[in-house]
Amino acid sequence: MSQPPRSNRVHRERNGDHRNYRDSHGDRPSSSDRSSSRPPYYPREADSPPKHHGRDVPRVEHHDSQCTNICSRRGIVLICAVLTNALVLICVVAAQMVTSGLSAMGGLGGFDINSNFNLQGTELQKARDLDMQYSQMRAPGIYGGIAFSLTFGVLSLLFVVAGNKPAHVMSKKLLYGSLVFQAVGAVMYVVAVGLYLHFIIRVNSTDVCQQRERLYSRSGYTWMNCDVSGADAAVALFGLITAILYTAGTVFTVQTIRGVKRYLQERKRREAEKQQARANPQRAPLRAETTAV
């Protein structure tokens, strides 16, 4: 009869061991519970980087939007117009340097006019006088060409820089100003090219140019003639290209203005619908059902 109590004691001790083992394992979560104070700090550490990244992301998108807006069709046309205006300016200066005469070119220090020229004595003095007169006759063309191309080039560059925003964010005055500028620029460049060629042809048809051509041809300089030079032709060519670019820019700007108007009208319509939906929340589902039908 004493054995059953011993077996019961053994079972009780075993059960007690299991209970102690379970209690010991049940106590372990308490240590993890102690470390459970960390989770309140984890969200703070985990939330701080997204806030930092959230601040950086709009900056990246902002720079990308500036690049995409500047490199739009309008921006590319204006950038090309800046380059062609610079080419017009270079060609105007080059035309003046080429047609100014060998005596004027010798004054730049490239070579000695007395040793390299076949002109001597009175012919040399006469060539200098004719070159001076011819340069003075061409002076209005070069000064006008420099001022004209420089003005339009700088204004085109300003419109390129000002167009670094989306079209619907830009002011209407800036869009309409760009439209008027390019339309006027296209017309004025065509007129300017015609006036420039007419001016050059008229200067080349004067007695000064004819005497100068005969004087240089007797000395073997047949290329110094009264025809329109290649530099003057380049001025006309790049001027017409600039006029074409301004015409294309005018068309693109008109399309942009129309698109902005449609966008603003659509946005106003959506805002009005949202306000109506907020004012009449019960009628909104009915409208959805009617539109679905």
Side-chain angles (χ1 to χ4, degrees):
M1 295 299 291
S2 61
Q3 292 179 355
R6 291 179 182 176
S7 62
N8 292 330
R9 290 178 183 176
V10 173
H11 287 294
R12 290 176 182 176
E13 290 175 358
R14 290 180 181 178
N15 292 332
D17 293 334
H18 286 293
R19 290 175 183 174
N20 293 330
Y21 179 76
R22 291 175 182 176
D23 294 334
S24 63
H25 283 283
D27 293 334
R28 288 183 182 179
S30 63
S31 62
S32 63
D33 291 335
R34 294 177 183 176
S35 63
S36 63
S37 60
R38 294 180 182 177
Y41 295 95
Y42 284 145
R44 295 178 183 177
E45 297 176 357
D47 291 337
S48 57
K51 291 181 181 179
H52 180 70
H53 292 293
R55 293 177 182 175
D56 293 338
V57 170
R59 293 179 183 176
V60 175
E61 292 178 355
H62 182 65
H63 291 294
D64 292 337
S65 63
Q66 286 184 351
C67 180
T68 54
N69 291 320
I70 292 176
C71 297
S72 62
R73 294 183 301 177
R74 295 180 298 106
I76 292 173
V77 168
L78 285 173
I79 291 171
C80 294
V82 173
L83 296 177
T84 53
N85 277 293
L87 291 174
V88 170
L89 177 62
I90 293 171
C91 292
V92 168
V93 176
Q96 180 67 17
M97 293 178 64
V98 169
T99 59
S100 59
L102 294 177
S103 59
M105 293 175 63
L108 297 175
F111 47 84
D112 187 5
I113 60 175
N114 294 321
S115 61
N116 293 326
F117 282 2
N118 294 327
L119 301 174
Q120 295 179 358
T122 57
E123 290 184 349
L124 179 59
Q125 185 63 35
K126 187 176 181 180
R128 290 178 177 176
D129 294 337
L130 292 174
D131 289 339
M132 184 65 68
Q133 293 178 11
Y134 184 76
S135 297
Q136 290 178 356
M137 293 173 66
R138 284 181 58 100
I142 182 172
Y143 292 140
I146 290 174
F148 187 84
S149 59
L150 189 62
T151 301
F152 275 89
V154 171
L155 290 176
S156 299
L157 184 60
L158 290 177
F159 279 108
V160 170
V161 175
N164 60 351
K165 298 178 182 179
H168 64 276
V169 178
M170 294 172 60
S171 63
K172 293 183 180 180
K173 293 182 180 179
L174 185 60
L175 285 175
Y176 283 105
S178 177
L179 175 63
V180 173
F181 167 73
Q182 293 181 90
V184 173
V187 176
M188 290 188 66
Y189 246 103
V190 173
V191 175
V193 168
L195 291 176
Y196 181 81
L197 291 177
H198 176 73
F199 176 77
I200 295 300
I201 292 171
R202 189 180 67 177
V203 171
N204 290 342
S205 63
T206 58
D207 293 336
V208 175
C209 185
Q210 298 296 330
Q211 294 177 9
R212 183 169 171 267
E213 181 182 4
R214 288 193 295 268
L215 180 62
Y216 278 109
S217 62
R218 285 198 301 267
S219 301
Y221 302 105
T222 57
W223 55 270
M224 190 68 71
N225 51 37
C226 293
D227 297 332
V228 178
S229 64
D232 292 327
V235 171
L237 176 62
F238 289 119
L240 293 177
I241 292 174
T242 307
I244 294 172
L245 290 173
Y246 282 140
T247 304
T250 302
V251 175
F252 292 149
T253 306
V254 170
Q255 294 178 355
T256 302
I257 292 173
R258 290 179 179 177
V260 170
K261 287 182 178 179
R262 289 194 298 266
Y263 172 79
L264 295 177
Q265 290 176 358
E266 183 67 19
R267 189 173 66 179
K268 289 181 180 179
R269 185 181 63 82
R270 291 180 180 177
E271 289 178 355
E273 290 179 354
K274 289 181 180 179
Q275 291 178 358
Q276 291 178 359
R278 291 175 182 175
N280 300 321
Q282 296 179 354
R283 296 181 181 180
L286 296 176
R287 290 181 181 177
E289 291 176 357
T290 55
T291 53
V293 173

